[in-house]
Structures are given as C-alpha cells and as structure tokens.
Amino acid sequence: MDENPAVRQEMVTTPEEQPQPHPVVCNKYRGLLLVVFAFSLFAAAFGLGVYCHLQKNADPWMPRWKSAAPPCLSPACLRVTEHFSVDMDPFSRPCDYFLFACGTGGSYTSEERHSVKGVSNEDNRELDKKKEARTGGNVRMRRETDFQGKSDGQQVKFPDRKTALLKTIKEILEAPEEGVSVNAAEQKAKKYFSTCMDAESTEKVGSKPFLTLIQQLGGWAVSNGLNRTDFNTTLALLMSQYSTFPFFSVYAGSDSGEKQTASSQHYIQIDEPYFQFPIDWNSKTQKSKASTRYLRPFYMSCGQYLALLGVPSNQTTQHCGLYISLSTTLALATAPLHYRLSQKLLYHRITIQELQTLAPAIDWLACLQATFQPLPISQSDLVLVHNLPYIIHMSQTISIWQVQHEMMGTRPLHTYMIFSLLHTLIPALDSRFFQTMRNFSIATGDTQEEIPRWLRCVQQTERGFDTLLSHAIRERHARKEAEELIHDVYLSLKKKLTDLSWRDNRSSAFILNKIKSLNPRLSTKTNNLSHAELNHLYAEVVLSEEDFFSNYLQMLVLEQKSRSRLLSHGTLTEGLSITPSISGNDIIIPVGMFVSPFFHSSYPRYLVTAYSMKQNIHSVEILLHSKIYFAPLLVK
C-alpha cells in the first residue's frame, strides 16, 4: 500500500495544430486532473456518510432533499452514524482525507531519499514495501482524526482512508469461516494472520529459529562456525528466497520516461540499498556520509543483537566494528534523489553484460536469475540503474574487502549479509529484537508512536497475500455501485469544468480535451481472478498452525513470485492502494478507496450527485490554489 501519492509523469501528446503547452505544464495538468477527480470522488462517498445526520440537522445547501429523504437504517448507515457529525468539515483538513502531498521536514532517512514525484507509482510502492520489511511494519501512518461525533460531546475517532483500508483487511482476516464458502487461499491468509497475532508462541522460541537458519546457510564467523561459502552464491540465495538485498535493491517496474499504458514494458531496476542509519548529504561537496552522531547508538544496537543471538561480549567489538565500517564505506557513494534527478542518474539503461563489466564483484546474471526465477534472464537484457556511480563504488569496495579481510577469517562481507537478513526477519522474531530496533529508531530522532501488533500483522499479510486481499475487498465492498459512482462523479466533474470561466483559452481547451479523452475505471488487473485461480496461485504455500517464523519465510517466497509476475506481466495489485493513477488514457481507481465508513452499497444513492456537485467546484478551487500545481487558471 502507498502512503505518499506519486503521480506518474509522462508527456501528453496533443494534435500538432493545437498550441503546445510547456511539457512540465502538461505533466502538472495531468496530475491536476487526477487529483481533482479523486478529490471529487471521495467527496461523493463522504457525502453518503453524512446522510444520516441530514435527517436531524438542517443543511442550507440541500433543503429539498432533507424533506424528501427517508432515513437510512441499514447496518452500515447506523455504524457510520456513530462516527460522523454534521460539524465535520473534511475540506478544512485535506491532508487527513485526500491526495495532498503534505510536506514533511527534518533530516533524510535512507528510504526518504528515494520517494518523490517523478518516480513511477509502482517504484515507490516497491520502496514502501521494502521499508515495511526493514522496519518490522512499523511505518509511519497518519493519526485518526478526532471529531465531536456524539451528542454528549465525547470524541470519537474517524479514520483516514489508509487506516480504514487496513481495518477492512483486518475484518476480512478475522471473519469466521463459513463452511465451504471460504476458499483455500483465503484460509491460508487467515492462518498467516492468526499465527502473526500469536505473540506468545513467538516469545517462547526466542532466537532459536534464526540461529537454525544461519546454520542452514553455512554458519557465520561471529560464532566461529562458518563453513566455506561462496559470496555470490549466498547473495543470490538471500535475494531469491529471503527478499534480502544487502548491497543494492532490486525490483521490477516501468520506465517513467516512457508513456505509460496498460501494456507498458517492465524492467529489472537496480538501486541503492536501504541503510539502517541516517545519511548526511553535503550539498557543497555533493558527498554523503553516515551521520556520525548516530554511529554510537548503531554500534550499541549491533552488540545488543549479537547478545540476543548468544554471542559472547568479547567477540562483538571486532565484528560490530567491521560491520559499521563496511556500512559507512558503502554509504559514501549514495545520493539523495533530488541530486540524482538533477544529474540524470535515474533510469540509466544498461545491459546485464555491460553492468558485469563495470561492477565485476557481483555475479549479476546469477543473482538476477535467482531473484526473478523462473523467468529467463540473459546477459543482453536491459536493466534500469538508478545510481550507477554507487553500484561501481559498491563493487570496488567488495573487491577490496575480499582481499583485505577474507584471509583473516573475519569474513565481514558474509557477516554483513547475515545482519541484513536479521533485519529482514525481525518481524518474525521475539519482541526483544523488535525493541532493539525500536530503541535505535528513537535514538535517531524517530518520534512516531509504535503501531499496534494487529496493524503490523495486517501489513505483513498484505505483503504476501496482496492479490487475494485485493480480490476479497472488491468482492465484498467495491461492486457495481462503485463503478456507477465513478461514472457519475466523472460526469459531474466534466460538467463543472465546462461551466467554469477560464482566464487562458489555450489552457482551458487543453484541459477540457484531455478530460474528455480520459477513461476512469475501477482497478481490474488482479481483481477478476476466480476462486480456483486464486487457489492455484497460492497452491504451493504450506503454512504451520503455530510456527510464525516458518510462515514468514513462506511470505517472503510469495513476495519473490509477485516480483516475477510484475516483471513478466506488468501485473500490479492496485486494489490495496488508496491512490488513483493514470495509465495511458485510463484513470485507475483502486478498490481500496471503496471501504467503510467512506463507502457502502447500502448508502442512499440519490444523495451522491448532489453532494459531489457541491464539492466539485470547491475541490477545483482548493487544488488550483495550492502550491502543488500551477494556480492562476480560473476566474473565481
């Protein structure tokens, strides 16, 4: 799922005889249309919820509807009444509801150096998934918004759209099984969620599952039990079976420089890895380095992890010192995304064979074949590299460390890979590991509240069962009523834009022609699978009733298969998103937008158009006068 909306930027083609707006303006207009429509669509769904209060509270903009409208007494209406107040005004707090890119201040973390506009949605979603994996699912979420929702003045919580979607997934995973109506794939997802929620079993086994896995991988030098293992063989295994990318990240996605369509080609993409510590960027020297004030807490957390794994304290100094030294050396060649954009380092096309020549320390073909198995990957395949200077520096560093340290028996490169694996698997280990990670996050200035266990488990279940959950949401929530709502709101939006007075005829002609050519639709790529097809998709998944660690390893395998499907078919699970996107001439509306309390098929239908018509013009004015888009297009 995607927290920060990133609108795909692609050139909009217009007839040659039509005056051509500046390319950047074209991109802004496309983004503007997308956000305005999504804003309007949400306003319509939100209006359905306040219907119940219109029975008791006068509303000056809809007097004739109030007298004619019968009360809605469906269970969904009665539930939502508990959370709504007629005094609520979502338009006064758009960051909690809509698609505004609300800015955040502060220093960069490793992951925040990547997610900005200009990178495709699927790339940012992949980075979000990696962030959830590295942080144990403890990713930042907006707080639910307080509103006066009861007559006695007691405050109730009304969720933002992401929280509402996650709660809907939780309800699906906790719903009792109804005989044969629950398919096998859904039973597996529920079993996974149930074992994740069983914290007691995880606490009992402690660090034993991870220590057993280390032995299966050949041991490690920290415990003086390392067998002779090949560097690239171990790296390929971690990438393919454990979704662990110690030295660089790998994922599949489209090229943002190409026009995006439903059949756009997807490429293997190679980027900087996620580093566990903040990285400082010197804008004068244009160099990165690890934040020195956080190295001591980083070193202490390393020692604490080793203590939890039963390593004697007299052996931690050397291995933690080498681990930190290698980490900080690799970080020197990283760069924040704004710099890489300015230097045209993103989406650098190169064949695997050429990459092998430039960065020979990595067996690129073997690693990529393992990561995207069973797809045929060859030396001549193009990959997209997002920081080639880092990749070259990383390869040189590995070669130097292999010569300097491997003969000493310390094997720091192997230890580094095992530490990376540990951070991937922390969500499946007992709470001491998570608390150690949490303590370091706090030491680096992370003030976000720790999210509840159920939310972490929902996020982890979504990583492996996203296709199934997207199908379940569509089946339970976003049926034909959602498609009809999309159609009605888009018609309303087109009418409002046509009726506006524009300052610039060229801009108005371009906007109106473009909005007529776009086709809003509910996401369908992975949501139309039958139960038999879903069962086949998850047929090889065998889950334990009690062993969450082994189930978590199964989820990582599912993640690898999802990565391969995305590369081969361009199949992106859109339903678990809350952010619309543009693909060619299609506006893709994810089914994740149509969950309770914002939408329900039993909400009174005839109120939708009136409410959305009122808010369409309001949304256009707000968005056009925000700092995100070029504003002076309308005469107010």
Side-chain angles (χ1 to χ4, degrees), residues 69-350:
C72 176
L73 300 178
S74 72
C77 283
L78 295 178
R79 282 196 304 269
V80 81
T81 302
E82 296 298 317
H83 295 277
F84 275 90
S85 166
V86 74
D87 297 326
M88 291 163 51
D89 181 11
F91 304 97
S92 67
R93 304 179 70 170
C95 290
D96 290 328
Y97 294 98
F98 307 116
L99 297 174
F100 280 82
C102 301
T104 57
S107 60
Y108 283 117
T109 64
S110 178
E111 203 66 40
E112 288 167 346
R113 293 157 67 92
H114 294 78
S115 299
V116 299
K117 292 180 181 179
V119 178
S120 68
N121 282 341
E122 59 209 20
D123 293 353
N124 275 330
R125 288 176 203 168
E126 184 70 22
L127 290 169
D128 288 340
K129 286 185 178 181
K130 291 182 185 299
K131 186 173 185 178
E132 289 180 15
R134 294 305 203 286
T135 59
N138 197 39
V139 296
R140 188 179 304 277
M141 291 186 58
R142 297 190 185 99
R143 294 182 179 179
E144 295 177 315
T145 306
D146 292 334
F147 288 109
Q148 298 298 121
K150 293 184 179 180
S151 58
D152 59 3
Q154 179 182 355
Q155 284 192 331
V156 297
K157 299 287 187 179
F158 187 80
D160 59 65
R161 291 186 297 126
K162 183 170 184 177
T163 303
L165 176 58
L166 291 170
K167 286 184 174 180
T168 298
I169 296 175
K170 178 175 179 286
E171 292 174 0
I172 293 173
L173 295 172
E174 291 181 334
E177 298 181 359
E178 300 175 0
V180 296
S181 62
V182 180
N183 61 62
E186 189 167 321
Q187 288 177 339
K188 293 177 180 179
K190 290 183 175 182
K191 182 183 292 186
Y192 180 89
F193 179 77
S194 176
T195 57
C196 178
M197 291 293 292
D198 183 10
E200 183 177 351
S201 296
T202 304
E203 295 298 320
K204 286 181 180 179
V205 297
S207 60
K208 183 178 179 180
F210 184 73
L211 292 172
T212 301
L213 179 61
I214 290 178
Q215 294 307 312
Q216 294 172 354
L217 294 174
W220 62 336
V222 173
S223 59
N224 297 318
L226 176 62
N227 300 324
R228 299 306 299 178
T229 55
D230 177 71
F231 168 79
N232 275 291
T233 300
T234 302
L235 178 60
L237 182 62
L238 295 185
M239 292 172 62
S240 62
Q241 297 298 310
Y242 303 102
S243 283
T244 298
F245 303 90
F247 302 102
F248 51 90
S249 62
V250 176
Y251 53 94
S254 58
D255 186 345
S256 69
E258 297 178 347
K259 183 175 182 179
Q260 302 302 305
T261 65
S263 59
S264 293
Q265 181 177 353
H266 284 63
Y267 302 89
I268 296 174
Q269 312 217 16
I270 300 172
D271 205 345
E272 302 172 358
Y274 176 86
F275 288 95
Q276 299 297 330
F277 48 82
I279 299 173
D280 290 335
W281 172 254
N282 189 319
S283 58
K284 293 182 179 180
T285 62
Q286 296 185 340
K287 298 291 183 181
S288 289
K289 68 173 183 178
S291 298
T292 54
R293 62 187 180 277
Y294 301 128
L295 291 184
R296 180 173 177 80
F298 187 53
Y299 176 84
M300 293 178 61
S301 69
C302 174
Q304 290 166 358
Y305 285 131
L306 293 182
L308 293 176
L309 295 172
V311 177
S313 58
N314 61 356
Q315 297 186 29
T316 61
T317 301
Q318 180 186 34
H319 292 288
C320 286
L322 289 173
Y323 172 58
I324 293 174
S325 178
L326 178 56
S327 300
T328 55
T329 301
L330 291 171
L332 292 175
T334 62
L337 197 114
H338 69 81
Y339 174 79
R340 288 186 279 158
L341 280 169
S342 67
Q343 299 300 309
K344 303 186 185 305
L345 294 176
L346 300 180
Y347 297 98
H348 178 80
R349 292 183 173 228
I350 188 173

Side-chain angles (χ1 to χ4, degrees), residues 32 35-36 39 89-95 98-100 614-631 634 636:
L32 175 63
V35 180
V36 168
F39 190 94
D89 181 11
F91 304 97
S92 67
R93 304 179 70 170
C95 290
F98 307 116
L99 297 174
F100 280 82
K614 172 183 181 282
Q615 299 300 348
N616 270 336
I617 182 62
H618 188 41
S619 66
V620 172
E621 290 175 349
I622 289 177
L623 290 164
L624 283 175
H625 289 82
S626 72
K627 295 180 180 180
I628 305 173
Y629 297 101
F630 294 133
L634 297 173
K636 293 181 66 176

Side-chain angles (χ1 to χ4, degrees), residues 584-601:
N585 286 328
D586 289 336
I587 301 178
I588 310 299
I589 309 298
V591 297
M593 291 182 65
F594 295 93
V595 297
S596 178
F598 300 108
F599 178 84
H600 195 275
S601 59

Side-chain angles (χ1 to χ4, degrees), residues 403-415:
V403 173
Q404 291 182 349
H405 297 280
E406 296 301 296
M407 297 304 296
M408 299 170 56
T410 53
R411 304 293 296 276
L413 294 173
H414 188 271
T415 300

